[in-house]
Amino acid sequence: MHPHSLNSELGQLLAPIHVFLQCDTPDEWIAEARKPEQLAALLVDHANCEMKAAMSAHSLVRRYCLPKEKRKLLPNLDFYKTLDALPEKGEVLGKQTLLDENRRVFDELAKNDLLVKMVRLIQEELHHFEQVLEIMAARNIEYSSLSASGYARGLLQHVRTHEPAAIVDRLIIGAYIEARSCERFARLAPYLDEELNRFYISLLRSEARHYQDYLTLAADYSGQNIDERVAFFGAREAELIQAPDEVLRFHSGVPVGS
């Protein structure tokens, strides 16, 4: 694609995200994140974020697409890698041959929009996770343990405890996490080497779609206007992004000492 066409497409992709987010990533975060000595930690945290995104979506499928007594039976994340790509009409299994037990569980899944969007999201996040691991391996960066920032926890503490309010809040939070990822990939990409620049730009389309999917599902589950709740979480998200932070992570706040 011609550079001008790419820039135009990315501009259209990011415009609604900038409207959705209540603040831009602080320049202090970019200044710290672009330092070569931070790259290893950022890549490890990126891998963790992709896996956590897949696990969160898997949890939603288990909780809201299966009868309560069958939730523990849902196959683990590796299962999603074996699924065929999902047709738009929402058939979950495609032509995949399953073990009898797994087939019985999936036969009981509510074939709803949440399932379709989350299975696709899980597949894409797992693929991104593996891509990050490949990049790390090629650069001799060890996939070591790394503490998380308080970002997701800071949002999840505001989730209401009754339904459907709980799932609406979780879906809105999912939208903000994906939107912030998209915004930061775009902001950081120009400061990285050519391989990572291409990689992060390549992630923008799926991250932008994920944020829109989460927001659409939140509105569907609520059955009423969610603007006020979206604005509430937008304000909390902006507070976390602009607050001083002791660690540098993909969703951390302003690095202390910047």
Coordinates of all heavy atoms in Angstrom, one line a residue, residues 118-160:
M118 N -16.3 -13.0 20.6 CA -15.3 -13.3 21.5 C -14.4 -14.5 21.0 O -13.2 -14.4 21.2 CB -15.9 -13.7 22.8 CG -16.5 -12.6 23.6 SD -15.4 -11.2 24.1 CE -15.8 -10.0 22.8
V119 N -15.0 -15.4 20.3 CA -14.2 -16.5 19.7 C -13.2 -15.9 18.7 O -12.0 -16.3 18.7 CB -15.0 -17.6 19.1 CG1 -14.2 -18.6 18.4 CG2 -15.8 -18.4 20.2
R120 N -13.7 -15.0 17.9 CA -12.8 -14.4 16.9 C -11.7 -13.6 17.6 O -10.5 -13.6 17.2 CB -13.6 -13.5 16.0 CG -12.8 -12.8 14.9 CD -13.6 -12.0 14.0 NE -12.9 -11.4 12.9 CZ -13.4 -10.5 12.0 NH1 -14.6 -10.1 12.1 NH2 -12.6 -10.1 11.0
L121 N -12.1 -12.9 18.6 CA -11.1 -12.1 19.4 C -10.1 -13.0 20.0 O -8.9 -12.7 20.0 CB -11.8 -11.2 20.4 CG -11.0 -10.2 21.3 CD1 -11.8 -9.0 21.6 CD2 -10.5 -10.9 22.6
I122 N -10.5 -14.1 20.6 CA -9.6 -15.0 21.3 C -8.6 -15.5 20.3 O -7.4 -15.6 20.5 CB -10.3 -16.2 21.9 CG1 -11.1 -15.7 23.1 CG2 -9.4 -17.3 22.4 CD1 -12.2 -16.7 23.6
Q123 N -9.1 -15.9 19.1 CA -8.2 -16.5 18.1 C -7.1 -15.4 17.7 O -5.9 -15.7 17.6 CB -9.0 -16.9 16.9 CG -9.8 -18.1 17.1 CD -10.7 -18.5 15.9 OE1 -11.3 -17.6 15.3 NE2 -10.7 -19.8 15.5
E124 N -7.6 -14.2 17.5 CA -6.6 -13.1 17.1 C -5.6 -12.8 18.2 O -4.4 -12.6 17.9 CB -7.4 -11.9 16.7 CG -8.2 -12.1 15.4 CD -9.0 -10.9 14.9 OE1 -9.3 -10.0 15.8 OE2 -9.5 -10.9 13.8
E125 N -6.1 -12.7 19.4 CA -5.2 -12.4 20.5 C -4.1 -13.5 20.7 O -3.0 -13.2 21.0 CB -6.0 -12.1 21.8 CG -7.0 -11.0 21.8 CD -6.5 -9.6 21.6 OE1 -5.4 -9.4 21.1 OE2 -7.2 -8.7 22.0
L126 N -4.5 -14.7 20.6 CA -3.6 -15.8 20.7 C -2.6 -15.8 19.6 O -1.4 -16.1 19.8 CB -4.3 -17.2 20.7 CG -5.2 -17.5 22.0 CD1 -5.9 -18.8 21.8 CD2 -4.3 -17.5 23.2
H127 N -3.0 -15.4 18.4 CA -2.1 -15.3 17.3 C -1.1 -14.1 17.6 O 0.1 -14.3 17.3 CB -2.9 -15.0 16.0 CG -2.0 -14.8 14.8 ND1 -1.1 -15.7 14.4 CD2 -1.9 -13.7 13.9 CE1 -0.4 -15.2 13.3 NE2 -0.9 -14.0 13.0
H128 N -1.6 -13.0 18.1 CA -0.7 -11.9 18.4 C 0.3 -12.3 19.5 O 1.5 -11.9 19.4 CB -1.5 -10.7 18.9 CG -2.4 -10.1 17.8 ND1 -3.5 -9.3 18.1 CD2 -2.5 -10.3 16.5 CE1 -4.1 -9.0 17.0 NE2 -3.6 -9.6 16.0
F129 N -0.2 -13.0 20.5 CA 0.7 -13.5 21.5 C 1.8 -14.3 21.0 O 3.0 -14.1 21.3 CB -0.1 -14.4 22.5 CG 0.7 -15.1 23.5 CD1 1.2 -14.4 24.6 CD2 0.8 -16.5 23.5 CE1 2.0 -15.1 25.6 CE2 1.6 -17.2 24.4 CZ 2.1 -16.5 25.5
E130 N 1.5 -15.2 20.1 CA 2.6 -16.0 19.5 C 3.5 -15.2 18.6 O 4.7 -15.5 18.5 CB 1.9 -17.2 18.6 CG 1.3 -18.2 19.5 CD 0.5 -19.2 18.8 OE1 0.2 -19.0 17.5 OE2 0.0 -20.2 19.4
Q131 N 3.0 -14.2 17.9 CA 3.8 -13.3 17.1 C 4.8 -12.5 18.0 O 6.0 -12.4 17.7 CB 3.0 -12.3 16.4 CG 2.2 -12.9 15.2 CD 1.4 -11.8 14.5 OE1 0.5 -11.3 15.1 NE2 1.7 -11.5 13.2
V132 N 4.4 -12.1 19.2 CA 5.3 -11.4 20.1 C 6.3 -12.3 20.6 O 7.5 -11.9 20.7 CB 4.5 -10.8 21.3 CG1 5.5 -10.1 22.2 CG2 3.4 -9.8 20.8
L133 N 6.0 -13.5 20.9 CA 7.0 -14.5 21.4 C 8.0 -14.8 20.3 O 9.2 -14.9 20.6 CB 6.3 -15.8 21.8 CG 5.4 -15.8 23.0 CD1 5.0 -17.2 23.4 CD2 6.1 -15.1 24.2
E134 N 7.6 -14.9 19.1 CA 8.5 -15.1 18.0 C 9.5 -13.9 17.8 O 10.7 -14.1 17.6 CB 7.8 -15.3 16.6 CG 7.1 -16.6 16.5 CD 6.2 -16.7 15.3 OE1 6.3 -15.8 14.4 OE2 5.5 -17.7 15.1
I135 N 9.0 -12.7 18.0 CA 9.9 -11.5 17.9 C 10.9 -11.5 19.1 O 12.1 -11.2 18.9 CB 9.0 -10.2 17.9 CG1 8.3 -10.1 16.6 CG2 9.9 -9.0 18.2 CD1 7.2 -9.0 16.6
M136 N 10.4 -11.9 20.2 CA 11.3 -11.9 21.4 C 12.3 -13.0 21.2 O 13.5 -12.8 21.5 CB 10.4 -12.2 22.7 CG 9.6 -11.0 23.1 SD 8.3 -11.5 24.4 CE 9.4 -12.2 25.6
A137 N 11.9 -14.2 20.7 CA 12.9 -15.3 20.6 C 14.0 -14.9 19.6 O 15.2 -15.2 19.8 CB 12.2 -16.5 20.1
A138 N 13.6 -14.2 18.5 CA 14.6 -13.8 17.5 C 15.6 -12.7 18.1 O 16.7 -12.6 17.5 CB 13.9 -13.2 16.3
R139 N 15.2 -12.0 19.1 CA 16.0 -11.0 19.7 C 16.6 -11.5 21.0 O 17.2 -10.7 21.8 CB 15.2 -9.7 20.0 CG 14.7 -9.1 18.7 CD 13.6 -8.0 18.9 NE 13.1 -7.5 17.7 CZ 13.2 -6.2 17.3 NH1 13.7 -5.4 18.1 NH2 12.7 -5.9 16.1
N140 N 16.5 -12.8 21.3 CA 17.0 -13.4 22.5 C 16.5 -12.7 23.8 O 17.3 -12.5 24.8 CB 18.6 -13.3 22.5 CG 19.2 -14.2 21.4 OD1 18.7 -15.4 21.2 ND2 20.1 -13.7 20.7
I141 N 15.2 -12.3 23.8 CA 14.6 -11.7 24.9 C 13.8 -12.8 25.6 O 12.9 -13.5 25.1 CB 13.7 -10.6 24.5 CG1 14.5 -9.4 23.9 CG2 12.9 -10.1 25.7 CD1 13.6 -8.3 23.3
E142 N 14.1 -13.1 26.9 CA 13.5 -14.1 27.7 C 12.1 -13.7 28.1 O 11.8 -12.6 28.4 CB 14.3 -14.4 28.9 CG 13.8 -15.6 29.8 CD 14.5 -15.7 31.1 OE1 15.5 -15.0 31.3 OE2 14.2 -16.6 31.9
Y143 N 11.2 -14.7 28.0 CA 9.8 -14.4 28.4 C 9.8 -14.7 29.9 O 9.4 -15.7 30.4 CB 8.8 -15.4 27.7 CG 7.4 -15.1 28.0 CD1 7.0 -13.8 28.4 CD2 6.4 -16.0 27.9 CE1 5.6 -13.5 28.7 CE2 5.1 -15.8 28.1 CZ 4.7 -14.5 28.5 OH 3.4 -14.2 28.8
S144 N 10.2 -13.6 30.7 CA 10.3 -13.7 32.1 C 9.1 -13.2 32.8 O 8.2 -12.6 32.2 CB 11.5 -12.9 32.6 OG 11.4 -11.6 32.1
S145 N 8.9 -13.5 34.1 CA 7.8 -13.0 34.8 C 7.9 -11.5 35.0 O 9.0 -11.0 35.2 CB 7.7 -13.7 36.2 OG 8.8 -13.4 37.0
L146 N 6.8 -10.8 35.0 CA 6.7 -9.4 35.0 C 5.4 -9.0 35.7 O 4.4 -9.4 35.4 CB 6.8 -8.8 33.6 CG 7.0 -7.3 33.5 CD1 8.5 -6.9 33.9 CD2 6.7 -6.9 32.0
S147 N 5.6 -8.1 36.7 CA 4.4 -7.6 37.4 C 3.5 -6.8 36.4 O 4.0 -6.1 35.5 CB 4.8 -6.7 38.6 OG 5.4 -5.6 38.1
A148 N 2.2 -6.8 36.7 CA 1.3 -6.0 35.9 C 1.1 -4.6 36.4 O 1.5 -4.4 37.6 CB -0.1 -6.7 35.8
S149 N 0.7 -3.7 35.6 CA 0.4 -2.4 36.1 C -1.0 -2.5 36.8 O -1.7 -3.5 36.7 CB 0.3 -1.3 35.0 OG -0.8 -1.6 34.2
G150 N -1.4 -1.4 37.5 CA -2.7 -1.4 38.2 C -3.8 -1.0 37.4 O -4.9 -0.8 37.9
Y151 N -3.6 -0.9 36.0 CA -4.6 -0.3 35.1 C -5.9 -1.1 35.1 O -7.0 -0.6 35.4 CB -3.9 -0.2 33.7 CG -4.8 0.2 32.6 CD1 -5.1 1.6 32.4 CD2 -5.4 -0.7 31.7 CE1 -5.9 2.0 31.3 CE2 -6.2 -0.3 30.7 CZ -6.4 1.0 30.5 OH -7.2 1.5 29.4
A152 N -5.8 -2.4 34.7 CA -7.0 -3.2 34.6 C -7.7 -3.3 36.0 O -9.0 -3.2 36.1 CB -6.7 -4.6 34.1
R153 N -6.9 -3.5 37.0 CA -7.5 -3.6 38.4 C -8.2 -2.3 38.7 O -9.3 -2.3 39.4 CB -6.4 -3.9 39.4 CG -6.9 -4.3 40.8 CD -5.8 -4.8 41.6 NE -4.7 -3.8 41.8 CZ -3.5 -3.9 41.2 NH1 -3.2 -4.9 40.5 NH2 -2.5 -3.0 41.4
G154 N -7.6 -1.2 38.4 CA -8.2 0.1 38.7 C -9.6 0.3 38.0 O -10.4 1.1 38.5
L155 N -9.7 -0.3 36.8 CA -11.0 -0.2 36.1 C -12.0 -1.2 36.7 O -13.2 -0.9 36.9 CB -10.8 -0.5 34.6 CG -10.0 0.6 33.9 CD1 -9.7 0.2 32.4 CD2 -10.8 2.0 33.9
L156 N -11.6 -2.5 36.9 CA -12.5 -3.5 37.3 C -13.1 -3.3 38.7 O -14.1 -3.9 39.0 CB -11.7 -4.9 37.3 CG -11.4 -5.4 35.9 CD1 -10.4 -6.6 35.9 CD2 -12.7 -5.9 35.1
Q157 N -12.4 -2.5 39.5 CA -13.0 -2.3 40.9 C -14.3 -1.5 40.8 O -15.0 -1.5 41.8 CB -11.9 -1.5 41.7 CG -11.7 -0.1 41.3 CD -10.8 0.7 42.2 OE1 -10.4 0.1 43.2 NE2 -10.4 1.9 41.8
H158 N -14.6 -1.0 39.7 CA -15.9 -0.2 39.5 C -17.0 -1.0 38.9 O -18.1 -0.5 38.7 CB -15.6 1.1 38.7 CG -14.6 2.0 39.3 ND1 -14.9 2.7 40.4 CD2 -13.4 2.3 38.9 CE1 -13.8 3.5 40.7 NE2 -12.9 3.2 39.8
V159 N -16.8 -2.3 38.6 CA -17.8 -3.1 38.0 C -18.9 -3.4 39.0 O -18.7 -3.8 40.1 CB -17.2 -4.5 37.5 CG1 -18.3 -5.4 37.1 CG2 -16.2 -4.2 36.4
R160 N -20.1 -3.1 38.5 CA -21.3 -3.4 39.4 C -21.5 -4.9 39.6 O -21.0 -5.7 38.8 CB -22.6 -2.7 38.8 CG -22.5 -1.2 38.7 CD -23.5 -0.6 37.9 NE -23.3 -0.8 36.5 CZ -24.0 -0.3 35.5 NH1 -25.1 0.4 35.7 NH2 -23.8 -0.6 34.2

